Amino acid sequence: MLRFLLPWMLTLCLAFTWASATRRAPLAMRISCGARQNVHTKQTGTLWYKDYAYTGGIPANATVPSSITPPLQTLRYFPLSEGPQNCYNIHRVPKGHYNVRIFFGIFGQAGAATEPLFDISIEGTQIYSLKSGWTNEDDQSFSSAQVFLTGGSVSICFHSTGHGDPAILSIEILQIDDNAYNFGPQFGQGIILRTVKRLSCGFGQSKFDKDYGGDPWGGDRFWHHIRSFGQDSDHPISVETRIKQASLGPNFYPGTLYRSALVSTDALSDLSYTLDVDPNRNYSIWLHFAEIDSSVGVGQRVFDIIANGDVVFEDVDIVKLSGDSYTALVLNTTVPVNGRTLTLTLSPKEGHAIINAIEVFEIIMAESKTLSDEVSALQTLKKRLGLPPRFGWNGDPCVPQQHPWSGADCQLDKSSSKWVIDGLDLNNQGLKGFLPNDISKLRHLQILNLSGNSIHGAIPSSLGTITSLQKLDMSFNFFNGSIPESIGELTSLRILNLNGNSLSGRVPAALGGRLLHRASFNFTDNTGLCGIPGLPSCGHHLSAGAKIGIGLAACFGFLILVTCLMCCWRRRQNILRAQQIAARAAPYAKARTNSSRDVQMTRHYSYGNARTAAESGPILHS
Ligand SMILES: *[C@@H]1O[C@H](CO)[C@@H](O)[C@H](O)[C@H]1NC(C)=O
Ligand SMILES: *[C@@H]1O[C@H](CO)[C@@H](O)[C@H](O)[C@H]1NC(C)=O
Ligand SMILES: *[C@@H]1O[C@H](CO)[C@@H](O)[C@H](O)[C@H]1NC(C)=O
Ligand SMILES: *[C@@H]1O[C@H](CO)[C@@H](O)[C@H](O)[C@H]1NC(C)=O
Ligand SMILES: *[C@@H]1O[C@H](CO)[C@@H](O)[C@H](O)[C@H]1NC(C)=O
Ligand SMILES: *[C@@H]1O[C@H](CO)[C@@H](O)[C@H](O)[C@H]1NC(C)=O
């Protein structure tokens, strides 16, 4: 007996390990915003991570806005005083395709609770603007989008729009198949699909994939239940039969979805559904069918599918296309919409129209981001200049394009197809501290206005490497020291305002010449700038310290000169005397002559040395 069983068991084991190896669980990361501890929600046994270490925003107790929001007690909200954009930067997210879902929060006493309206972006791409009335509709209490994440982390930002403080209940990052919802050639890493509507038609209740016992690779979709499209033109039906060909990759639709449907009441009458959409977008539409009436065979139920008046599928015969009754059929198409509504119509040619489920996605092109060097330069500036929190420089400086950082002007650099900063205007913002050298990483800057702040210290000479600079306004600060020579190398510079600082010393000569070319430079109200037309010449305006220094150097030089002359004169006297002695005492003549030549050589040597030293003045000091 065992002999027969063993191979079977082995095969089973192998099959099992193979299956579990290829079908590992998808990555799922869930965050309960504002929670002090990790949360286990009871019904589903789901783990939600706390976000208590997160420093932005304010945690608060949540009022649950709808019956389908996760049963979490806390939320996090972002008052405008913390800046117009606030982000969660979530790290250690492996490269992959994810369903990112954000449930919104409301807080305050029930009744008095207000409904905040704000914008949401993922990795710099705006995916959603909350619509007023969202608290009244279950499927409006969250936003969900399928996104490719490739950078190892994800930045999810909330942008204030002046309608209350953004408040977030939860963030879910659920891995799905790389090929999920592949709608055709355009599909790929630069594409985000935001869920606009996901309807389960017919009998039943609104459900998540999980409630349907669906595969976790489905991304735990929410299926909003709809019992009728209205106008008494349809009725729900349902069966308990198992559905074939559902629950398959890459989308893993729960089979239960296909057990209920809406059917048109009259033969040959249309079944029509209209939803409100944002205009001028492309929408990806996924329609789900299964023939759940066993009496209907091939050719007995045939219909066209029409989207906003255009036939998108002709002569759809479910049994024929899916191969059998009780078998799932999914059709997808992409529809550009100019107006504010999208109407889907099933127009029967034979029998009654039927539909089991509808999914509508907005196709969003992912934004490219800002050059990372420039982002880090701005972050350094933010830190060093003590940028006030109300600036809210979080997320990406240039995208979403609807919400750039205040003060930063952006331009898309065609060669790198990245955003770059071409203007920075931070005038009169109460900035203090020092201007960091890193400013030069903003190498596409054309305009820099730091006027009217309290910035101290030297003007970084690295500014001279930003060759695109046309307007540089650093007036009315506390800059001191001299103007770096490198500023003279900014050949595009047309406006240079350095007035109202504590600058001194010689203005780079290259700037003087520029004045002739109708550039506008202002150097007034400084401690002591000199050297170009319109300013005092440098010689007459030495500081007291410099005058004392020069005086001392002159005295010192004079003393040395006198000392040298004295030495020379003495030596000369000595030599003359020695020669007189030698002439008188013949026996020593040879030796003395040698000695005198030595002395002369020494004298020449010392003379030469003194001359070199006098010529190159500063060496005297060292
Ligand atoms: C939130 O609720 C907890 C208990 O449910 C309570 O102890 C706490 O004071 C509440 N916090 C606020 C800010 O209302
Ligand atoms: C969706 O439709 C496109 C073309 O319209 C097709 O290439 C693609 O395979 C379809 N996707 C699925 C999953 O059926
Ligand atoms: C819609 O898709 C078409 C064809 O792919 C494209 O040319 C167009 O720019 C898209 N429109 C929008 C608003 O994305
Ligand atoms: C910088 O900002 C100040 C204050 O708004 C303005 O007066 C000045 O013209 C600006 N400078 C430049 C170069 O635009
Ligand atoms: C400029 O000011 C800073 C302090 O603000 C000071 O440390 C530095 O010595 C000053 N430099 C010059 C050249 O005066
Ligand atoms: C230069 O700045 C001063 C203020 O510091 C101002 O009074 C003057 O009009 C400016 N000169 C020019 C030419 O703009």
Side-chain angles (χ1 to χ4, degrees):
M1 184 71 181
L2 252 180
R3 239 183 20 205
F4 289 97
L5 260 181
L6 215 55
W8 264 110
M9 282 170 69
L10 268 178
T11 324
L12 264 179
C13 277
L14 278 176
F16 194 76
T17 45
W18 179 80
S20 57
T22 52
R23 298 282 296 114
R24 72 193 159 77
L27 184 134
M29 190 186 290
R30 293 181 161 89
I31 297 169
S32 169
C33 302
R36 282 168 185 272
Q37 261 99 40
N38 292 347
V39 180
H40 278 273
T41 42
K42 285 199 196 76
Q43 270 182 336
T44 50
T46 309
L47 169 66
W48 301 82
Y49 294 109
K50 65 181 174 188
D51 75 343
Y52 213 70
Y54 178 68
T55 52
I58 300 173
N61 285 343
T63 308
V64 172
S66 99
S67 61
I68 66 149
T69 54
L72 301 169
Q73 308 294 316
T74 59
L75 55 72
R76 190 175 286 276
Y77 71 97
F78 302 95
L80 200 54
S81 58
E82 298 208 353
Q85 49 245 339
N86 287 277
C87 307
Y88 274 82
N89 294 307
I90 302 162
H91 298 282
R92 267 175 280 166
V93 179
K95 183 171 182 272
H97 195 198
Y98 292 89
N99 182 20
V100 176
R101 179 163 58 194
I102 295 136
F103 275 96
F104 319 138
I106 50 173
F107 60 104
Q109 260 72 50
T114 51
E115 180 188 75
L117 304 182
F118 52 96
D119 292 352
I120 299 176
S121 69
I122 300 178
E123 288 291 280
T125 304
Q126 178 153 324
I127 58 151
Y128 192 54
S129 288
L130 273 72
K131 307 267 186 300
S132 68
W134 65 263
T135 41
N136 304 326
E137 310 246 2
D138 280 350
D139 69 348
Q140 301 288 300
S141 61
F142 65 91
S143 178
S144 167
Q146 294 154 35
V147 189
F148 284 95
L149 300 176
T150 52
S153 67
V154 54
S155 160
I156 301 171
C157 300
F158 309 105
H159 309 271
S160 298
T161 58
H163 300 94
D165 300 332
I168 309 301
L169 194 75
S170 67
I171 297 173
E172 294 164 90
I173 299 169
L174 308 172
Q175 193 181 12
I176 56 176
D177 194 288
D178 279 352
N179 211 26
Y181 293 100
N182 184 341
F183 59 85
Q186 249 203 339
F187 177 83
Q189 292 201 349
I191 289 289
I192 296 175
L193 288 180
R194 178 184 65 86
T195 311
V196 177
K197 208 74 178 172
R198 188 173 263 137
L199 296 174
S200 163
C201 308
F203 283 116
Q205 288 175 330
S206 295
K207 281 191 160 94
F208 289 90
D209 276 3
K210 197 157 192 163
D211 307 320
Y212 278 130
D215 193 298
W217 280 95
D220 199 30
R221 290 158 287 211
F222 175 71
W223 299 90
H224 190 63
H225 168 243
I226 187 165
R227 201 178 248 269
S228 168
F229 293 156
Q231 292 120 27
D232 296 328
S233 60
D234 54 20
H235 64 273
I237 61 167
S238 73
V239 294
E240 290 299 316
T241 318
R242 200 184 75 81
I243 304 293
K244 292 170 277 185
Q245 301 295 316
S247 203
L248 299 179
N251 287 351
F252 303 98
Y253 294 111
T256 321
L257 195 64
Y258 299 88
R259 290 185 186 166
S260 69
L262 276 173
V263 181
S264 59
T265 310
D266 302 316
L268 299 181
S269 72
D270 287 357
L271 198 55
S272 195
Y273 175 71
T274 299
L275 79 161
D276 294 336
V277 293
D278 294 328
N280 303 319
R281 319 271 164 108
N282 290 330
Y283 291 89
S284 174
I285 298 166
W286 296 68
L287 302 169
H288 300 261
F289 306 95
E291 186 50 77
I292 55 175
D293 182 343
S294 57
S295 69
V296 176
V298 173
Q300 291 179 304
R301 195 199 294 279
V302 180
F303 52 88
D304 289 347
I305 302 175
I306 299 159
N308 277 358
D310 295 327
V311 176
V312 289
F313 293 102
E314 211 171 354
D315 297 334
V316 176
D317 182 332
I318 300 167
V319 183
K320 193 169 144 195
L321 290 173
S322 68
D324 204 354
S325 299
Y326 306 109
T327 306
L329 170 69
V330 184
L331 299 176
N332 86 88
T333 186
T334 303
V335 178
V337 179
N338 300 319
R340 296 193 165 270
T341 56
L342 170 61
T343 300
L344 296 169
T345 305
L346 308 188
S347 183
K349 291 175 166 168
E350 289 292 335
H352 301 247
I354 186 172
I355 189 153
N356 301 68
I358 301 174
E359 296 175 282
V360 177
F361 302 98
E362 182 186 339
I363 301 176
I364 303 171
M365 310 290 283
E367 298 259 21
S368 55
K369 302 222 244 168
T370 306
L371 218 56
S372 60
D373 254 13
E374 306 208 351
V375 181
S376 75
L378 288 178
Q379 277 160 348
T380 308
L381 275 186
K382 173 184 171 180
K383 228 179 290 163
R384 297 288 180 76
L385 298 180
L387 212 66
R390 68 188 146 77
F391 267 80
W393 275 13
N394 296 308
D396 190 285
C398 300
V399 290
Q401 289 175 59
Q402 297 89 335
H403 302 281
W405 286 1
S406 66
D409 282 326
C410 297
Q411 197 178 29
L412 193 64
D413 179 51
K414 294 222 174 60
S415 62
S416 62
S417 67
K418 293 266 188 187
W419 290 92
V420 297
I421 313 295
D422 66 356
L424 191 59
D425 187 351
L426 297 173
N427 80 77
N428 295 295
Q429 297 299 340
L431 307 184
K432 40 200 186 300
F434 299 89
L435 192 61
N437 259 315
D438 271 13
I439 184 97
S440 64
K441 285 196 201 157
L442 298 173
R443 61 195 164 84
H444 298 91
L445 271 188
Q446 295 174 7
I447 302 176
L448 176 60
N449 196 343
L450 298 172
S451 172
N453 289 293
S454 306
I455 307 174
H456 286 258
I459 296 176
S461 69
S462 65
L463 264 183
T465 63
I466 311 178
T467 49
S468 49
L469 261 184
Q470 296 171 8
K471 299 182 183 178
L472 179 56
D473 192 339
M474 304 172 71
S475 55
F476 305 109
N477 278 286
F478 299 110
F479 286 109
N480 65 1
S482 57
I483 302 174
E485 208 50 47
S486 63
I487 300 292
E489 286 153 30
L490 296 173
T491 48
S492 309
L493 207 55
R494 287 187 289 108
I495 297 181
L496 175 62
N497 292 342
L498 295 176
N499 50 303
N501 282 289
S502 308
L503 297 166
S504 56
R506 185 182 291 276
V507 172
L511 290 177
R514 212 83 60 69
L515 287 173
L516 304 174
H517 298 97
R518 288 217 209 102
S520 149
F521 296 168
N522 196 337
F523 299 112
T524 57
D525 299 328
N526 274 293
T527 320
L529 285 172
C530 63
I532 60 166
L535 291 177
S537 83
C538 287
H540 297 295
H541 280 257
L542 291 171
S543 68
K547 280 176 188 164
I548 291 170
I550 288 172
L552 282 176
C555 291
F556 194 52
F558 180 71
L559 274 177
I560 284 176
L561 194 68
V562 170
T563 319
C564 281
L565 286 176
M566 292 270 292
C567 287
C568 293
W569 183 76
R570 279 240 184 105
R571 278 200 182 125
R572 197 158 188 99
Q573 292 301 311
N574 285 344
I575 291 164
L576 283 176
R577 213 178 304 145
Q579 280 171 346
Q580 283 165 4
I581 291 168
R584 268 182 252 139
Y588 299 102
K590 201 169 191 230
R592 290 289 169 182
T593 313
N594 272 353
S595 161
S596 89
R597 208 189 318 154
D598 282 352
V599 172
Q600 279 176 355
M601 277 173 67
T602 312
R603 197 193 63 167
H604 277 299
Y605 177 73
S606 95
Y607 174 68
N609 208 10
R611 200 174 58 181
T612 350
E615 270 171 3
S616 50
I619 292 174
L620 279 173
H621 296 272
S622 55

